Amino acid sequence: MASSWRRWNNILHRDLGYLCAGLTIVYAVSGLAVNHRADWNPSYAVRASTVPLQGVELPDPKAPGFAGAILAHLELEGRLRGTFRPDPETVQIFLEGSTVTVDLAARTATFEETRGRAGLRQANFLHLNEAKKLWTWMADLYAVALLVLAVTGLFVLKGRKGIAGRGAWLTAAGVAIPAVFLLLYL
Amino acid sequence: MRSRALFAVVLVLAACAPAGETPEQAASEPAAEVAAQPAVTPFDVSSFQGTTYGEPLTLAELTPVSAILADPASYIGKPVLVQGMVVAVCEEKGCWMDIASDKEFEKIQIKVDDGVIVFPLTAKGKQALVEGVVEQLELTQEQAIAEAKRMAEEHGTPFDSTSVTGPRTIFRIKGKGAVIAD
């Protein structure tokens, strides 16, 4: 009887482990990236460069041809989405995936390109549940599966290496680590 | 054999997970009251195609951003539907975006709860239709300095604390839902 429940426990642990492996890797990679959000943008790579517009005859910023003239000078191509003037000295030109900010007073143009980081953008999209809708339930199901994995994992082995021996110490250490940080920081 | 059966059960459970928000749930939500402002114009939100963020839009009258900015005090606490080009997006969490006004040199910020709605950085330059409630934020000078510093860090621009000379009042829209044109 005792070996029967352990057998089912191990089967559940093994199959759920296989099922969760892919998403665990996605969440782990995204977790690493998002943890360091203060130092970088984990989803997008933003590249900016400023070029002088000295000696360039700038059209009237209100003129319809202004954006075209700037883009032609910078040799930029791409679909023009629109323009915006946050103040009298600045014109923002929005292209597909990039923005050109023209400083009329300083006569400079700053080109800023935004690209989604391959793989990370998608991983973060799932991990941070930007998808919402059905994905919310899928992520809940995954969390429940992780809970089951954690509990069944405790009972995979019996004997000295199981939860009654070495396993107990390691489990206690795993609980103590976050507890220590909570005591330190909370 | 038994392990195969267990695997099949797990797969079936995963497939049976209920959908997110059903049309019934959306329809059962109370429609927000329309702000009684003279500047509003009728607008059919279904005619605006794009990706939806947050809750479905329920208002049927469009308020010009310029009308809100001209007299923000009279709009505080009122639900509004606004339209404009996305001119800035929170680079850190996608938790706010600025949309251009219908008048020159004006924009208004749409703030959403962190993680509840995430505006994509790639939305800049696209048209957006947003529903939310106008709110007023009173910042002390210290809070205004901290906010200006945070924004400068986010945009990677130099920060000069002396540029903030006193308390600041901000009018913005607490976003409930948005559609951003594809």
Side-chain angles (χ1 to χ4, degrees), chain A residues 7-8 11-12 14-16 19 37 41 44 46 62 81-88 92 94 99 112 114 130 132-134 137-138 141, chain B residues 2-3 6-7 10-11 13-14 17-20 85-87 91-93 100 104-107 115-116 118 120-126:
Chain A
R7 186 161 175 269
W8 277 107
I11 288 169
L12 186 63
R14 182 196 64 202
D15 284 358
L16 270 182
L19 202 59
R37 189 181 258 165
N41 188 320
Y44 296 98
V46 182
K62 288 182 181 172
R81 284 181 175 171
T83 61
F84 174 63
R85 295 183 70 192
D87 56 67
Q92 287 179 298
F94 298 104
T99 305
E112 191 180 275
T114 305
E130 292 180 31
K132 311 283 181 212
K133 302 174 186 167
L134 187 61
W137 294 95
M138 195 61 234
L141 213 61
Chain B
R2 272 184 292 183
S3 61
L6 182 62
F7 180 69
V10 172
L11 275 182
L13 280 174
M85 184 169 60
V86 179
V87 295
E91 292 184 11
E92 205 177 323
K93 297 178 195 164
E104 247 187 350
F105 314 136
E106 285 184 353
K107 62 184 177 182
V116 176
V118 181
L121 208 48
T122 49
K124 281 196 280 187
K126 292 182 176 178

Side-chain angles (χ1 to χ4, degrees), chain B residues 156-167:
Chain B
T157 52
F159 170 67
D160 176 14
S161 62
T162 59
S163 63
V164 183
T165 54

Side-chain angles (χ1 to χ4, degrees), chain A residues 77-81 94-96, chain B residues 126 182:
Chain A
E77 291 178 354
R79 194 169 69 84
L80 177 67
R81 284 181 175 171
F94 298 104
L95 299 169
E96 197 88 47
Chain B
K126 292 182 176 178
D182 293 325

Side-chain angles (χ1 to χ4, degrees), chain B:
Chain B
M1 185 63 188
R2 272 184 292 183
S3 61
R4 280 187 190 168
L6 182 62
F7 180 69
V9 167
V10 172
L11 275 182
V12 168
L13 280 174
C16 290
E21 189 176 54
T22 63
E24 288 76 18
Q25 281 174 320
S28 68
E29 287 179 5
E33 280 182 31
V34 179
Q37 297 299 325
V40 297
T41 52
F43 190 86
D44 176 15
V45 292
S46 65
S47 67
F48 193 91
Q49 298 298 311
T51 305
T52 302
Y53 295 85
E55 296 178 27
L57 308 183
T58 58
L59 297 181
E61 287 182 314
L62 199 63
T63 304
V65 171
S66 61
I68 298 169
L69 294 174
D71 184 17
S74 67
Y75 284 90
I76 293 167
K78 291 180 178 167
V80 290
L81 178 70
V82 295
Q83 184 184 5
M85 184 169 60
V86 179
V87 295
V89 180
C90 168
E91 292 184 11
E92 205 177 323
K93 297 178 195 164
C95 65
W96 59 261
M97 67 175 178
D98 288 344
I99 64 167
S101 168
D102 46 299
K103 282 191 178 171
E104 247 187 350
F105 314 136
E106 285 184 353
K107 62 184 177 182
I108 194 162
Q109 187 179 79
I110 313 296
K111 178 72 180 84
V112 292
D113 291 331
D114 291 4
V116 176
I117 296 176
V118 181
F119 295 124
L121 208 48
T122 49
K124 281 196 280 187
K126 292 182 176 178
Q127 284 292 318
L129 191 63
V130 183
E131 186 173 316
V133 175
V134 179
E135 65 177 13
Q136 178 180 359
L137 248 71
E138 296 287 356
L139 301 181
T140 62
Q141 185 169 1
E142 290 73 27
Q143 288 171 328
I145 290 171
E147 176 66 9
K149 188 180 177 192
R150 195 184 64 77
M151 292 295 281
E153 283 172 356
E154 193 174 310
H155 293 295
T157 52
F159 170 67
D160 176 14
S161 62
T162 59
S163 63
V164 183
T165 54
R168 203 176 150 211
T169 302
I170 296 172
F171 295 99
R172 64 184 186 183
I173 295 173
K174 184 75 188 288
K176 194 177 104 179
V179 179
I180 298 177
D182 293 325

